[in-house]
Amino acid sequence: MNSRELGTEGTTVSDQVRQPKPSAARERILATADRLFYEEGIHAVGIQRIVAESEVTNVTLYRHFPSKDDLVSAYLQRRSDFDHAQVDGIVERHQGDPRAALDELAEALTRDDFGQVPRGCPFINASAEFTGGHPARVHAREIRTWVTRRIEELLEQLDHRTPRATAEQLMMVRTGAVVSGALDANPELTADFLDCWAALIDAGLRQPA
């Protein structure tokens, strides 16, 4: 059989041979970094603490993550992968019904995210600790741009009058809601956020003649 012949799930045999097996140690390191970086901040958490709580050696950690910046990048990529899967899953479930997809994107934030990010957005928090072109800021910009563009695509499918501007505004409202959930004691946060989200969408819909 040709080494480039397709194997399972569209990969080639040679690709499957090259792909390393998942490493339990790497996953422990990444899970520990994810928890500590989010709960306490990136600068506040040293590599030796991650080594200790992951129950690995320095050699093992640096084999998977040659520098702390590499570990920070992997931590944010892990968070980004979750967001991609969540958004893509919602859009896929509502193929042909962009308004339903937009509504669930808002509901998912209140249902799944508010309780999971008690210290606010991990990308914003990480970005605040660094400047310039640090990977933390790059990851934050990339995921926020991607989500905004996905929202814009859904608005375009609705024939919205201002899809770009409204997508940006919806992202601002989403960001503000996450920050409010972390800092404010607003018992009506969910209702306020959903009302604002819907109003921004409704304001640009073309009314039937």
Side-chain angles (χ1 to χ4, degrees), residues 71-125:
L71 182 55
V72 170
S73 184
Y75 150 61
L76 292 173
Q77 185 62 53
R78 191 175 191 249
R79 295 271 180 163
S80 178
D81 289 344
F82 173 84
D83 287 349
H84 275 264
Q86 183 187 54
V87 172
D88 283 342
I90 289 171
V91 173
E92 181 65 28
R93 284 195 296 275
H94 296 289
Q95 283 290 335
D97 192 349
R99 182 54 189 267
L102 286 164
D103 289 345
E104 190 176 344
L105 282 173
E107 292 164 4
L109 183 68
T110 66
R111 182 183 65 240
D112 303 334
D113 295 348
F114 282 167
Q116 300 300 316
V117 287
R119 296 192 64 253
C121 173
F123 296 100
I124 294 175
N125 294 350

Side-chain angles (χ1 to χ4, degrees), residues 10-190:
T11 62
T12 64
V13 172
S14 56
D15 287 338
Q16 292 173 24
V17 171
R18 285 197 300 268
Q19 291 172 355
K21 295 181 179 179
S23 164
R26 184 182 189 278
E27 288 307 308
R28 286 203 310 277
I29 294 166
L30 198 48
T32 301
D34 186 292
R35 172 174 55 83
L36 294 176
F37 286 164
Y38 182 72
E39 291 178 357
E40 302 182 23
I42 294 170
H43 286 322
V45 177
I47 288 295
Q48 289 309 308
R49 184 172 174 198
I50 294 173
V51 167
E53 295 199 21
S54 302
E55 298 181 337
V56 298
T57 65
N58 285 358
V59 171
T60 297
L61 185 142
Y62 283 114
R63 183 170 67 244
H64 293 291
F65 307 102
S67 71
K68 188 174 182 180
D69 279 354
D70 290 318
L71 182 55
V72 170
S73 184
Y75 150 61
L76 292 173
Q77 185 62 53
R78 191 175 191 249
R79 295 271 180 163
S80 178
D81 289 344
F82 173 84
D83 287 349
H84 275 264
Q86 183 187 54
V87 172
D88 283 342
I90 289 171
V91 173
E92 181 65 28
R93 284 195 296 275
H94 296 289
Q95 283 290 335
D97 192 349
R99 182 54 189 267
L102 286 164
D103 289 345
E104 190 176 344
L105 282 173
E107 292 164 4
L109 183 68
T110 66
R111 182 183 65 240
D112 303 334
D113 295 348
F114 282 167
Q116 300 300 316
V117 287
R119 296 192 64 253
C121 173
F123 296 100
I124 294 175
N125 294 350
S127 293
E129 295 196 52
F130 299 96
T131 60
H134 188 275
R137 300 185 70 86
V138 173
H139 277 284
R141 185 165 54 252
E142 286 178 348
I143 189 60
R144 290 175 62 80
T145 299
W146 181 82
V147 173
T148 304
R149 294 289 79 79
R150 292 294 271 162
I151 293 171
E152 183 179 354
E153 291 168 4
L154 293 170
L155 292 169
E156 288 172 345
Q157 291 173 34
L158 281 174
D159 196 25
H160 198 278
R161 286 195 297 267
T162 57
R164 185 211 60 79
T166 300
E168 295 286 354
Q169 292 160 12
L170 290 172
M171 193 63 177
M172 293 176 201
V173 169
R174 186 182 187 278
T175 301
V178 172
V179 174
S180 181
L183 298 178
D184 304 329
N186 177 10
E188 303 300 326
L189 173 61
T190 292

